[in-house]
Amino acid sequence: MDALKPQDPSHIGTHTLLARLGAGGMGQVYLGRSPGGRLVAIKVIRDEITDHPEALARFRREVETARAVRSAYTANLIDASLDSAPYWLATEYVAGPTLARAVAERGPLPPETCRGLFAALAEGLAAVHAQGVTHRDLKPQNVILAAQGPQLIDFGIARGVGQTALTDAGFAPGTPGFTAPEVLLRNEVGPPADVFALGATLAYAATGRAPFGGGDPNGVSYRAVHEPIDLAGVAPEPASLIEACVAKVAAARPGLAEVIARCGVRTALVEDPVYAGLAALGEAVPQTPPTPVRQPVAPPVGPHDLPTVGPTPYGPSGYTPTQLVARSTRRPGKRWLLAVAVGLVVGIGAATAVVLAQRGDGKDTAGGRTSAGSPGKASSPRVTASRTATGPGHAPAYAGDDIDRQYWKPSTGDCQLPDAERAPADFLSAMSDADDPGKTTERPVFAHKVRLGFWHNNYAGHPGIHGPYYVVISVKPPHSIDPSTGKPPAGALMQSATLGYTSKPIDLYSGDQSDWTYLTYPDDFRSWSPDGKKTWPSIPVGNDPGDWTVQWFHIRTPSDYSSIMCRGFTVK
């Protein structure tokens, strides 16, 4: 969990906010405390959702599901506000890591622990099904390993008997690799689909690998429909049960009662020493909310030591590529209001699971860097050059790596999430082949080095602006990288969920404003640990073919930065 940011509210309803648990596609998740002292996970949806009937219906359904499903394996709904914006719900807070995070940190689970977890999750699903609800998105990120036993979270796309699906393209029915073939092919949702997801989840727990491999989601889904699950190295008995659960034909899968019986557990899972050690990975809860304060500072006196500024080996720094220049000319639109949220909640949002699994597993979008508020409101984090707050009187030294789930899509030429913060008017960015800056292509495809730049062309017309406004560029490979090899782990392609490699922060308003600022990847980029004590060199683009993501961030401190522009390129 992360400290509250200046733009965060201090209260939601009657609940006092203590920390951020994470963010997701719908908004922000907060840890809160009820007036009587009970810890709660609060999901607040962003204002764009209120104008989207199907998305709002999904959120209302999530609340209804949380009310209906009450068991030892889910977090109970405590409070909700659905009458007017901001819309939010609160559930009891369940401490513990996600299964995804636990396996990522400790490795695959031993057979006996897998057996107990298999039975416990099957029992939890049976309790959910008894309420006439199917989960539809069971996966390692949606299982919390709590001290009292595993908890199922994120019922955001759950369905009751007789309910129709929400088919908006923005809300996929499940997660590739854990979604049953009949759901992918015919949208046939029922208890057998949850059994399939249960088998895939336990395959991950037993192997530490994605059950149907990684890479392109369409390829993963194809393998889930047509190819066998990855069970290399799994003992015969649990492997046989997993294979039965992920049978391609729904009718061939065992019922949950049979799954529990075949597990043959003799002791409580919470008595398993391995499980107890994993449950202890949960983060400490702050007793009082810290007061976030950001102090304004005077602008720097002189220019900064910048890499690859001015003439470069690839041509003069004033060169502007003709095809790949992007301009920020967006009108002020709706912004992230109070973003999404599921704490560790049973029926409450994918966001939380993501947060816990990656750091616990992730801040969605730009992680805790997601902006809140609306243009023109006092709570807005949008910063202009004349009033930027940057910290203790000097430029941020680096951008600490963090969870980031922004990805560039070559099919549209855009990234899948909106920018977290509006860039200064007429902010320009550029991207070209560093070996041949004059080369243009219909789609950006690079083989070696990439030349990245930015410029604010209104500076000459506004000489009274002093800044500072620091910009950092991040370049993210498509897959997670093994630092020891500089390549994705062999046989375990996983989509990158961090910031990737970043440039040194550069003041937009320093130096000679008649020229562009250019940087070259990989020469001018590194990955930094959040505390700045460790760095890792950037990898050559050829080490990880696929679709790379490039973001321009406004950075205030090493841990506080907001995406202002997102693009990408392909490496073949």
Side-chain angles (χ1 to χ4, degrees):
M1 65 185 70
D2 293 314
L4 296 174
K5 295 184 177 294
Q7 64 265 27
D8 289 328
S10 59
H11 292 79
I12 294 291
T14 61
H15 306 288
T16 300
L17 299 190
L18 302 176
R20 286 181 164 214
L21 290 174
M26 292 176 66
Q28 182 70 42
V29 189
Y30 295 100
L31 174 66
R33 186 180 62 235
S34 72
R38 188 178 191 180
L39 291 176
V40 294
I42 304 174
K43 171 190 267 186
V44 188
I45 65 173
R46 54 188 170 91
D47 55 351
E48 286 92 338
I49 297 295
T50 63
D51 294 331
H52 198 302
E54 289 186 353
L56 188 56
R58 175 188 175 191
F59 183 71
R60 291 181 181 277
R61 177 175 294 176
E62 184 174 349
V63 174
E64 294 169 0
T65 302
R67 282 199 179 105
V69 178
R70 288 182 172 271
S71 77
Y73 302 95
T74 61
N76 292 326
L77 180 72
I78 293 175
D79 199 1
S81 176
L82 300 176
D83 295 332
S84 60
Y87 298 94
W88 57 270
L89 61 81
T91 65
E92 60 182 332
Y93 172 77
V94 181
T98 62
L99 176 61
R101 177 190 164 196
V103 172
E105 291 191 13
R106 299 289 178 86
L109 306 186
E112 194 61 30
T113 304
C114 280
R115 185 199 308 273
L117 182 62
F118 214 158
L121 291 177
E123 190 174 4
L125 275 180
V128 171
H129 291 175
Q131 302 297 325
V133 174
T134 52
H135 189 288
R136 297 187 77 212
D137 199 20
L138 177 62
K139 56 187 176 182
Q141 291 89 341
N142 287 345
V143 175
I144 300 296
L145 304 184
Q148 66 269 35
Q151 302 280 300
L152 300 173
I153 68 169
D154 191 4
F155 285 71
I157 59 173
R159 285 177 61 186
V161 176
Q163 288 181 321
T164 57
L166 297 176
T167 56
D168 180 80
F171 303 105
T175 299
F178 300 89
T179 303
E182 69 270 20
V183 178
L184 293 169
L185 297 175
R186 300 179 296 278
N187 199 26
E188 294 178 0
V189 179
D194 281 350
V195 173
F196 181 95
L198 175 64
T201 296
L202 266 295
Y204 171 83
T207 66
R209 301 186 297 271
F212 292 96
D216 180 74
N218 292 326
V220 174
S221 294
Y222 177 89
R223 292 190 289 274
V225 173
H226 299 287
E227 296 180 7
I229 194 168
D230 176 11
L231 293 174
V234 180
E237 186 174 346
S240 175
L241 180 54
I242 291 172
E243 286 177 335
C245 288
V246 298
K248 305 302 183 186
V249 178
R253 297 172 203 146
L256 292 170
E258 181 181 343
V259 172
I260 295 170
R262 289 180 63 174
C263 287
V265 297
R266 296 292 182 268
T267 60
L269 178 61
V270 294
E271 297 174 357
D272 183 298
V274 174
Y275 181 88
L278 297 175
L281 292 174
E283 297 181 81
V285 175
Q287 297 303 307
T288 58
T291 302
V293 177
R294 186 179 294 152
Q295 299 293 337
V297 298
V301 176
H304 301 288
D305 180 18
L306 307 178
T308 324
V309 177
T312 73
Y314 313 109
S317 64
Y319 172 78
T320 304
T322 55
Q323 279 291 89
L324 302 179
V325 176
R327 176 189 299 267
S328 173
T329 56
R330 300 185 299 280
R331 300 182 201 168
K334 290 191 175 178
R335 309 281 307 286
W336 291 89
L337 179 56
L338 294 167
V340 181
V342 186
L344 315 166
V345 205
V346 174
I348 311 232
T352 300
V354 174
V355 177
L356 294 175
Q358 298 253 4
R359 49 168 351 216
D361 174 25
K363 303 170 190 170
D364 242 338
T365 74
R369 302 176 300 280
T370 302
S371 297
S374 301
K377 294 185 179 180
S379 61
S380 173
R382 181 166 56 89
V383 186
T384 62
S386 61
R387 60 182 179 87
T388 301
T390 57
H394 53 76
Y398 64 94
D401 199 17
D402 207 340
I403 301 302
D404 182 88
R405 294 183 176 277
Q406 180 74 281
Y407 303 107
W408 176 71
K409 301 186 295 183
S411 59
T412 63
D414 297 316
C415 298
Q416 93 280 17
L417 298 172
D419 298 327
E421 178 181 313
R422 188 156 58 91
D426 293 320
F427 177 88
L428 304 179
S429 67
M431 183 166 55
S432 63
D433 190 327
D435 294 330
D436 187 2
K439 177 183 178 181
T440 60
T441 57
E442 182 177 355
R443 290 291 187 199
V445 179
F446 305 127
H448 298 101
K449 295 186 177 184
V450 183
R451 193 169 183 244
L452 301 161
F454 60 87
W455 181 42
H456 181 234
N457 68 356
N458 268 353
Y459 182 88
H462 298 83
I465 295 179
H466 299 293
Y469 185 99
Y470 293 104
V471 175
V472 67
I473 304 176
S474 76
V475 180
K476 177 166 65 175
H479 304 108
S480 295
I481 300 298
D482 181 349
S484 64
T485 64
K487 297 181 179 181
L493 287 179
M494 298 293 288
Q495 192 171 36
S496 175
T498 65
L499 201 63
Y501 305 97
T502 55
S503 68
K504 189 173 182 177
I506 300 170
D507 184 3
L508 182 64
Y509 300 105
S510 70
D512 184 354
Q513 296 301 318
S514 65
D515 284 340
W516 282 66
T517 294
Y518 280 107
L519 304 168
T520 300
Y521 182 88
D523 301 0
D524 300 323
F525 290 77
R526 297 185 69 82
S527 177
W528 294 76
S529 63
D531 60 8
K533 294 181 179 179
K534 295 182 180 179
T535 67
W536 296 267
S538 55
I539 65 170
V541 295
N543 282 18
D544 191 18
D547 299 323
W548 290 56
T549 302
V550 180
Q551 293 185 79
W552 285 257
F553 286 95
H554 171 204
I555 181 169
R556 291 164 285 270
T557 71
S559 61
D560 183 7
Y561 38 91
S562 307
S563 175
I564 57 176
M565 188 169 288
C566 180
R567 302 168 62 194
F569 58 88
T570 298
V571 177
K572 293 186 177 180

